[in-house]
Amino acid sequence: MSSLIGFIGFGAMACRMGANLRKAGYRIAAYTPSGKGGDGDVPFLPTPRALAQEADIVIACVPDDEALEQSMSGPDGALAGMKAGGLLINTSSVAPETSTALAAQGAAIGVTVLDAPVAGSTPEAESANLVVLVGGHAADVARAQPIFDAIGRLTIHAGPSGSGSKLKLVINGIMGATLAVVAEGVTYGLASGLERDMLFDALDAVPVISPHHKRKLKAAKAGDFSPQFPTRLMQKDMRLLMTDAARQMAPMPATAAATQSLSLTRRRYPNEDYSSLFAVMEDMVANDDTP
């Protein structure tokens, strides 16, 4: 029989990755705290440990460090159910030190752990066009390569354990900070009297705006902030980046300012797409009574 891949977390990204893995011939099972996910054809097990006991390979796809700790540790955690020689792939965006600690926990029981967060949102997950950012030994990355090939278009071996998590923070930091700059440009344009549709259309036409942010501009123009990447997750990644940047004494003043804007956006629109920052900024201009 084909290998069974057990997903811990089966939300918007994981269920799409799971669908592509099934197309590649793998069997899929899952665990979520609610016992529910985005695909009714996938069996759900009651605990992470029960899932790990059945699965040949475990993929974790949870929202943050706390959720990863809850699903990995303790008597019902995945590590308690994994066998020596097993493979755990953590696609969650977490702090680099969390990834290295998990790798050490796995090594202590003979389990290989790769930190493998992905670059891309739900459209890329659905079309198997993710970029997989992997931290771990080269031989272990090669072992997991068929899985990465099924969910993504490119695998980048970033270095030893924790490197995938670091690269993910670099990418998301640039993504979040750049969106904040674009939103500020829109805010100035609206405040100065430029016609709204013309402004959004002009920015969509110029090469200085990335394809990703053009997609966000189109959504903002229409007022559609359906969550491809929820604000709560983007703000969380920015926070992790700023924390580790301070530890590394890496000055990031522009990213720090963008993090503040995304913190405000998370307070207002936690579960909408992080591009709802446009709505926050536009609302400030629209409700400004300055003569």
Side-chain angles (χ1 to χ4, degrees), residues 206-288:
V206 296
V208 70
I209 308 295
S210 74
H212 173 82
H213 288 113
K214 286 184 179 182
R215 192 163 73 195
K216 300 304 182 186
L217 274 166
K218 288 178 180 177
K221 179 185 176 184
D224 178 9
F225 300 107
S226 303
Q228 294 183 345
F229 189 3
T231 305
R232 60 186 169 80
L233 298 182
M234 172 57 90
Q235 188 268 352
K236 176 263 300 181
D237 287 352
M238 299 291 280
R239 171 176 56 81
L240 293 176
L241 173 59
M242 295 313 303
T243 298
D244 205 46
R247 184 180 293 113
Q248 305 299 337
M249 295 175 287
M252 302 184 73
T255 307
T259 302
Q260 297 302 310
S261 295
L262 285 160
S263 292
L264 173 60
T265 307
R266 179 175 180 174
R267 182 167 289 277
R268 295 189 180 180
Y269 303 104
N271 297 311
E272 300 300 307
D273 192 81
Y274 83 103
S275 58
S276 52
L277 173 58
F278 284 106
V280 171
M281 300 293 280
E282 186 170 352
D283 183 65
M284 284 193 280
V285 176
N287 292 306
D288 186 2

Side-chain angles (χ1 to χ4, degrees), residues 52 56 68 79 90 130 151 167 195 205 212 224 237 243 246 263 279:
D56 299 296
L68 186 65
L79 291 175
N90 178 31
L130 296 167
I151 65 173
L167 184 55
E195 197 275 324
H212 173 82
D224 178 9
D237 287 352
T243 298
S263 292

